[in-house]
Amino acid sequence: MDEIVEISWLDACCEGVNEMTLKDMDNLHPVPRKNVGYLIRQTDEEILISAGISHWSQVNDGDDCYTYSLTVPRGMLTGFKRLT
C-alpha cells in the first residue's frame, strides 16, 4: 500500500468574494492541479491519496494513521502516473 502516485486533475474555480461583470467572469476557468501521495484507494468513482503515513503501533489498535488526504472524483482526473 506504500505505492506513490502523481495525479493531475481539474479543480473548480470559485470567485465568491467580489462582485464581477460578465467580462470579468470570462477569465474564470477550472484550475489544473497536480498532487503526489501514497495511493490509498482507487475505485471506478474516485482516487484517494495521502501525503503521509504514521506507523503508530501503540495507538489506534496498531492501525496506521494518514495525514493530508485528498479524494478526487475520476471525472476530474486528467492524468495518473505511478512513481513507485
Side-chain angles (χ1 to χ4, degrees), residues 2 38 53-59 62-66:
D2 289 350
Y38 293 98
I53 302 172
S54 298
H55 300 290
W56 287 7
S57 60
Q58 299 172 348
V59 181
D63 291 338
D64 290 339
C65 294
Y66 300 87

Side-chain angles (χ1 to χ4, degrees), residues 3 21 40 44:
E3 182 178 7
T21 66
I40 305 302
D44 290 341

Side-chain angles (χ1 to χ4, degrees), residues 49-54 65-70:
I49 63 173
S50 181
I53 302 172
S54 298
C65 294
Y66 300 87
T67 54
Y68 303 106
S69 298
L70 173 67

Side-chain angles (χ1 to χ4, degrees), residues 12-59:
C13 178
C14 177
E15 176 56 59
V17 177
N18 301 312
E19 293 182 1
M20 300 179 78
T21 66
L22 287 176
K23 184 177 179 180
D24 293 335
M25 289 190 294
D26 281 342
N27 294 320
L28 299 179
H29 301 283
V31 179
R33 299 195 183 275
K34 284 187 178 183
N35 292 83
V36 174
Y38 293 98
L39 179 61
I40 305 302
R41 178 180 68 236
Q42 57 179 331
T43 68
D44 290 341
E45 292 82 32
E46 64 194 18
I47 288 185
L48 171 60
I49 63 173
S50 181
I53 302 172
S54 298
H55 300 290
W56 287 7
S57 60
Q58 299 172 348
V59 181

